[in-house]
Structures are given as C-alpha cells and as structure tokens.
Amino acid sequence: MSFRRVAIIGLGLLGGSIGLAVREHLPDVTTTGYDADPATRARAAERGLVGQVCETAADAVQNADLVILCVPVGAMGAAAAEFAHALPRAALVSDVGSSKQFVAKVLAEALPGHAVIPAHPVAGTERSGPDAGFASLFRQRWCIITPPADADPALLAGLSAFWEALGAKVEVMDAAHHDMVLAVTSHLPHLIAYTIVGTADDLEGVTQSEVIKYSAGGFRDFTRIAASDPTMWRDVFLSNKDAVLDMLQRFTEDLTALQRAIRVGDGQQLFDHFTRTRAIRRSIIEQGQDDDRPDFGRSDHGK
C-alpha cells in the first residue's frame, strides 16, 4: 500500500470509520482530519478518529499523499476549494460519495492539475456524526472506484490496495454505470422509504398512533433507512437526478402493473412476481451482503 499520510475531510460515520480502520489495519500510516463543525472536531479528537485533528482543511492536507473527502456530495466542490492551495502536487484526492459523475466534475473543477480518482464504499448505517464510526464498517463490503480515463495506473492500484487493506472488496467501474446501478440498489430504496414513512406520519392522527404502535418488521425496516442523514440524501438525489428519475419511472410502471393485478384479482401474476423477486434475497445472502438468521440477525426480537 503506497500511501503513508492520509487526510480525511469530514469526520462523521464514513470519515471516522476510515480513520479507525486505518489505525487498526494500517498502523504505520499517519492520519490527519478536519471537519467544518467545531463540535465534531472536538469529539473526533476525544475518540481518536485520526491521529491529529486540524483546525483547517489546509492544515490537514498539507503533507498528505492521499486525501479522502467524506462530506455530503453537494459540499464536495466547496470543501476541495478550501484546501486546494495547500494540496501537495503529488497527492491523490478521492472521496466516498454516492454519485460519481457529479463528484468527478466538481472535484476536477476545484482541483485543476491534481490527480482525482473518485470512489464509493457501499457501506453505512442510519447513524451519522463522529460517534457513529467503527473500524469494521468496510469489512467484506464493496468499494466501487470510478477512475477517469486518464487516471494514473499506479495511483489507481494504490487506492485499490488502500481499500482492500481496510477489509473492502474493490470493483472498478465507469462513473455513469455506477450512478445507474446505485440508483436501483440504494437511491430509489431510500426515496421509497422516505415516502412510506412520510405517508405513515401523515396518517398518525387518523389512526390514533396505531401506525407506530403496531409497526411490523417491514415498516420498521423502512424507518431505519429513512433515518439516514437528510443532508447527504438530499444531495444524492439532486446530484444523481437523471438516473434516479429513470429508475423511479420504471418502478412506477411496475407498481402500476401490480396495482392492476390486485384490482382485477390476478393472483397468478402476483404470485409469479413475488416468487421471482424472492430469489433476489437469496442471492444477496449467498454473496455475503446480509444475514440469513431469523429477523435479519436482530437481537431485539419483537421490540
């Protein structure tokens, strides 16, 4: 692994987890960090998320050979511009954002002449902030790297090795293809979760709190997704809007077909559809991306 000095900009769930994972798996690598929120910086220092918490982004990157931006997608450009003047010429800049075409564009504009290779570790929880990070977040999770066409092969190999050292499995992918895939697997599910939970909230008065009182596992899972950081997800939807709108249209068409099947009593269509989609769950488990234990491995059964 070729990087020896890593700067992390943004010390929430992902940034903090990177810092802790580096400390655990790459003890010879020095880490610096910065967050725009003074309270986050203070808590990051208390938890030891990085070796040194700096008071400015420029201080954090001045000796780095790898800089990882862990801020909401909409803040990437401004965050990069803040440290551009202090960035070493040979440093590689990467990120953890969920929409890659937008990130590649804004970082190239903010950091002309510097090496930028975007990345997306497909890992996270509904929690956020400096207390949310943990070292094993990336273990056996995918990290998708979306290098530009002119990326230095040695830097790409180094970034891949870095994520593999933190426990991730690495896939190299075109940025546009990444954005389409993630629109299906992550962005649309979050949009649906936010919508369903919002609908339930609207019905709370009508049902006299029964929506919350009698929440079954399905609704509970939606509330977990919908508890994700609102700033991050606002930026994801706006920055990947073309792919999200395309997938939303396809989903709407499929939902309309199911609506008709229910209306006309076409049980066979419903059964066939549910049987086909049930297999997706088995595939996810077989690939080690989730838990096959009852109730998804929860220890709080019935709560």
Side-chain angles (χ1 to χ4, degrees), residues 163-223:
W163 280 107
E164 288 170 349
L166 302 193
K169 301 180 292 184
V170 171
E171 182 83 17
V172 176
M173 189 180 294
D174 173 75
H177 187 68
H178 165 279
D179 288 354
M180 180 187 70
V181 171
L182 268 295
V184 178
T185 61
S186 177
H187 305 169
L188 184 59
H190 275 80
L191 189 64
I192 293 169
Y194 282 122
T195 303
I196 289 176
V197 175
T199 299
D201 183 59
D202 292 340
L203 290 172
E204 266 295 274
V206 177
T207 61
Q208 299 179 336
S209 298
E210 290 173 337
V211 169
I212 303 300
K213 181 178 179 180
Y214 299 120
S215 290
F219 182 75
R220 180 180 60 185
D221 291 337
F222 277 120
T223 63

Side-chain angles (χ1 to χ4, degrees), residues 31-301:
T31 55
T32 56
Y34 169 76
D35 195 283
D37 182 358
T40 296
R41 293 200 300 272
R43 182 58 181 150
E46 290 174 0
R47 288 200 66 201
L49 298 183
V50 291
Q52 179 185 2
V53 176
C54 300
E55 290 302 305
T56 69
D59 288 342
V61 308
Q62 63 180 346
N63 294 314
D65 48 21
L66 173 62
V67 177
I68 305 177
L69 283 155
C70 303
V71 300
V73 172
M76 290 280 182
E82 189 176 343
F83 64 71
H85 67 282
L87 183 66
R89 178 58 56 184
L92 172 64
V93 177
S94 189
D95 76 300
V96 296
S98 188
S99 52
K100 302 295 14 143
Q101 293 179 96
F102 176 85
V103 167
K105 178 178 181 294
V106 298
L107 291 186
E109 292 173 350
L111 302 169
H114 288 281
V116 175
I117 301 181
H120 176 208
V122 187
T125 73
E126 70 275 19
R127 300 180 63 213
S128 59
D131 286 306
F134 54 98
S136 61
L137 178 63
F138 310 109
R139 184 179 302 157
Q140 290 302 301
R141 300 303 179 197
W142 287 102
C143 180
I144 302 173
I145 300 178
T146 59
D150 61 350
D152 183 332
L155 291 177
L156 175 58
L159 185 62
S160 298
F162 173 80
W163 280 107
E164 288 170 349
L166 302 193
K169 301 180 292 184
V170 171
E171 182 83 17
V172 176
M173 189 180 294
D174 173 75
H177 187 68
H178 165 279
D179 288 354
M180 180 187 70
V181 171
L182 268 295
V184 178
T185 61
S186 177
H187 305 169
L188 184 59
H190 275 80
L191 189 64
I192 293 169
Y194 282 122
T195 303
I196 289 176
V197 175
T199 299
D201 183 59
D202 292 340
L203 290 172
E204 266 295 274
V206 177
T207 61
Q208 299 179 336
S209 298
E210 290 173 337
V211 169
I212 303 300
K213 181 178 179 180
Y214 299 120
S215 290
F219 182 75
R220 180 180 60 185
D221 291 337
F222 277 120
T223 63
R224 182 191 64 78
I225 297 173
S228 300
D229 180 42
T231 300
M232 181 185 78
W233 282 100
R234 175 202 64 193
D235 290 358
V236 166
F237 291 127
L238 294 178
S239 63
N240 196 30
K241 63 180 180 180
D242 290 341
V244 169
L245 289 173
D246 183 26
M247 293 305 124
L248 186 59
Q249 179 60 38
R250 297 186 186 200
F251 173 76
T252 301
E253 293 168 1
D254 290 342
L255 192 61
T256 299
L258 290 177
Q259 183 179 16
R260 182 183 181 281
I262 294 170
R263 180 181 295 113
V264 302
D266 190 343
Q268 189 61 51
Q269 180 180 349
L270 294 172
F271 180 83
D272 291 346
H273 183 80
F274 299 157
T275 299
R276 178 170 61 87
T277 56
R278 184 185 186 189
I280 298 296
R281 174 66 186 168
R282 175 55 53 191
S283 298
I284 290 172
I285 293 170
E286 289 174 351
Q287 293 189 27
Q289 296 303 298
D290 207 343
D291 200 316
D292 196 24
R293 289 176 292 168
D295 204 21
F296 305 100
R298 291 189 182 93
S299 60
D300 59 339
H301 299 295

